[in-house]
Amino acid sequence: MPAGSENPRSNGGGPAVLALDPWTAGPAPGKPHQLLTEEERARLATIASVVRFKKGAEIYRGGDPTNAIFNIVSGVVKSCSGTDGDHIVAFLFPGDLLGLSAEGAYVNSARAITPVTAYRLPTAVLQRRLSKDALLEYHVICKLCQELRQTQRHALLLAHRRAEVKVATFLQLLEQLQLARDEPDGEIYIPMDRSDIADYIGMSLPAVSRTFRKMAERGVIANRNRHHTKVLDRAAFERIVMGGREARGVTKSAAE
Amino acid sequence: MPAGSENPRSNGGGPAVLALDPWTAGPAPGKPHQLLTEEERARLATIASVVRFKKGAEIYRGGDPTNAIFNIVSGVVKSCSGTDGDHIVAFLFPGDLLGLSAEGAYVNSARAITPVTAYRLPTAVLQRRLSKDALLEYHVICKLCQELRQTQRHALLLAHRRAEVKVATFLQLLEQLQLARDEPDGEIYIPMDRSDIADYIGMSLPAVSRTFRKMAERGVIANRNRHHTKVLDRAAFERIVMGGREARGVTKSAAE
DNA sequence: CGACCGATTGATTCATGTCAACAGCAGTGG
DNA sequence: CCACTGCTGTTGACATGAATCAATCGGTCG
């Protein structure tokens, strides 16, 4: 593997898991950090193999026996519910774990939406490691808590009625992920295509298109192309995300 | 509350965690079972205290420091996003863990929607237990995977457009939970009120009401009262849940 | 250069949100 | 024990906004 081309924080020799600690606040609150120690990563590397998927490739299918779980090094993966591509339940990024929530068999189907590099960890040997390594198990717990929060935020997004709120919230989500990974281009990179977005945020594809256009027309965002956009009017953007709900941000401490 | 009225599988001396094993299929596939051994439950009982909340009581508030997590013995809890009661992200039932997905502070707010009995496990001492007990940690992982799946199903529910599909799916969810807990009355018990349902499935309260009435008019369900309903026409019910999508059930093995 | 797939845009329909009035139950106080 | 009052839930009329259908455009790959 060419070490230079990928995110430095995800490399350096072995699987990397980015998440927050559920119980103790880290140095940068709200910002996921590397959970695994160098030693853990090195040990995991001995049981892991590097696999690559090209854009659009299926990583596993729901219902298949769980042979391995994956840890993304680079690229983006979509996780779809059920055997069929019913609905996108999650986008997975570098530092994420893939194929966990199973019961002897994968419950979701995973597909690469960009070229993907990942570590493949066979469940059998991983399970043995886990049963002996309490710290590693703890880190898996941390990661699962993070995934759970992420999924809850997704549910929150889906609960909104207005298209603008959904799209803006989605963009904000992408932006925050990039900030967390220290890739602030000033603009937001959108790896997935419009139909994936539509699926994820629970709207029709035309509605997504329209919403992007409307926000651009109003000067809230600027779309350089289909995969790169930029927030021009940050205030208006945040206002849309807040969606009708009065801004209940910092201005509320011990009141209520 | 009289001790005899509670679910026997949740009692018998200590915290109980109901979930599936992510990697190995249990005796009854798809059916959550007790993860903790009697010994584990007994040991946890020594660090746990029993707490009771009356209907509507707040269990914890988002943003508060995470002092303890809870394990529900009886009753139903709603978990709302954020400090405010923004949106219901989950309903928690006996055997569920409460207050896990946090980062030094609770991220969600929890409130009892029926009288609730629960074990209270202080995080400090629990953390010490976890770091020494790999098996217990493994069981927490199992539970988290189950919660994750549950939340993904919630997202799936929210993604649907038609009101009937949402309500029917929600009822099915409640029914499955009751079946998993061996409480098949023949009718579905709905612990939460209409506004909670509306919040959870992402609809307005009037729309929920209408949908219940329409399904009753069509003879699909029968509403004994606000908290008890029954599926009359199972075929029509399943058809609604499948929602337009052609029934892609068993009739699809090695095709595609 | 041509064809195909993803994306955009437009016209139309209809489901659901919203607002508002009412009904039914529950808890309260006489 | 009964009446009152307040809240939760029901029902109706109306408007809005997104889904749907369908045509076109643009980029990409052969």
Side-chain angles (χ1 to χ4, degrees), chain A residues 3-244:
Chain A
S5 65
E6 274 126 21
N7 188 339
R9 290 170 67 228
S10 300
N11 277 343
V17 175
L18 264 49
L20 298 157
D21 191 303
W23 287 302
T24 61
K31 190 179 192 314
H33 55 272
Q34 178 52 250
L35 287 174
L36 275 39
T37 65
E38 284 303 321
E39 190 193 355
E40 275 182 315
R41 294 175 64 183
R43 273 195 302 206
L44 283 178
T46 64
I47 66 171
S49 58
V50 175
V51 286
R52 290 171 187 278
F53 300 94
K54 47 186 180 180
K55 183 175 174 177
E58 186 176 69
I59 298 174
Y60 57 78
R61 182 185 295 258
D64 287 352
T66 307
N67 299 319
I69 73 169
F70 300 89
N71 172 232
I72 304 180
V73 176
S74 70
V76 186
V77 172
K78 64 177 170 182
S79 177
C80 303
S81 83
T83 307
D84 42 10
D86 204 357
H87 183 79
I88 297 177
V89 292
F91 291 114
L92 289 315
F93 294 86
D96 282 339
L97 254 33
L98 200 61
L100 261 175
S101 46
E103 180 207 5
Y106 296 113
V107 288
N108 297 329
S109 303
R111 192 176 287 274
I113 62 179
T114 69
V116 165
T117 309
Y119 286 104
R120 182 182 187 279
L121 299 142
T123 44
V125 49
L126 179 67
Q127 230 177 322
R128 249 177 290 136
R129 270 237 84 78
L130 278 174
S131 63
K132 278 182 269 186
D133 190 340
L135 185 60
L136 183 59
E137 272 194 319
Y138 175 74
H139 291 149
V140 172
I141 290 174
C142 296
K143 188 61 185 177
L144 280 171
C145 286
Q146 200 240 10
E147 272 199 47
L148 190 58
R149 275 195 303 275
Q150 200 74 11
T151 306
Q152 285 179 351
R153 290 185 57 181
H154 180 207
L156 231 56
L157 189 163
L158 285 166
H160 282 288
R161 296 101 214 273
R162 292 193 222 296
E164 285 184 351
V165 182
K166 285 187 177 181
V167 173
T169 306
F170 177 71
L171 288 176
Q172 197 190 44
L173 192 149
L174 284 180
E175 192 179 35
Q176 287 173 356
L177 284 173
Q178 284 172 47
L179 287 177
R181 296 187 50 225
D182 294 320
E183 300 170 353
D185 308 15
E187 65 180 6
I188 303 172
Y189 169 56
I190 308 169
M192 60 292 292
D193 58 25
R194 294 289 189 262
S195 73
D196 282 338
I197 298 175
D199 200 343
Y200 185 71
I201 68 181
M203 290 171 37
S204 66
L205 195 154
V208 173
S209 207
R210 261 184 264 276
T211 309
F212 268 92
R213 187 172 63 79
K214 274 186 193 166
M215 290 205 295
E217 279 173 353
R218 280 205 265 153
V220 181
I221 61 173
N223 304 313
R224 181 155 70 82
N225 60 44
R226 274 154 192 163
H227 294 289
H228 294 272
T229 198
K230 187 175 180 175
V231 178
L232 296 180
D233 188 343
R234 179 62 62 174
F237 186 77
E238 300 291 346
R239 219 176 301 127
I240 292 173
V241 171
M242 275 305 160

Side-chain angles (χ1 to χ4, degrees), chain A residues 20-23 30 84 86-87 102-104 108 123 131 134 137-138 141 147-148 151-152 155 158-159 245 248 256, chain B residues 20-23 30 61 84 86-87 102-104 108 123 131 134 137-138 141 147-148 151-152 155 158-159 245 248:
Chain A
L20 298 157
D21 191 303
W23 287 302
D84 42 10
D86 204 357
H87 183 79
E103 180 207 5
N108 297 329
T123 44
S131 63
E137 272 194 319
Y138 175 74
I141 290 174
E147 272 199 47
L148 190 58
T151 306
Q152 285 179 351
L158 285 166
R245 256 183 292 291
R248 41 163 69 98
E256 181 137 350
Chain B
L20 298 158
D21 190 303
W23 287 302
R61 183 185 295 257
D84 42 10
D86 204 356
H87 182 81
E103 179 208 4
N108 297 328
T123 44
S131 63
E137 272 193 321
Y138 176 72
I141 290 174
E147 272 199 47
L148 190 58
T151 306
Q152 285 179 351
L158 285 166
R245 257 183 292 292
R248 42 164 69 100

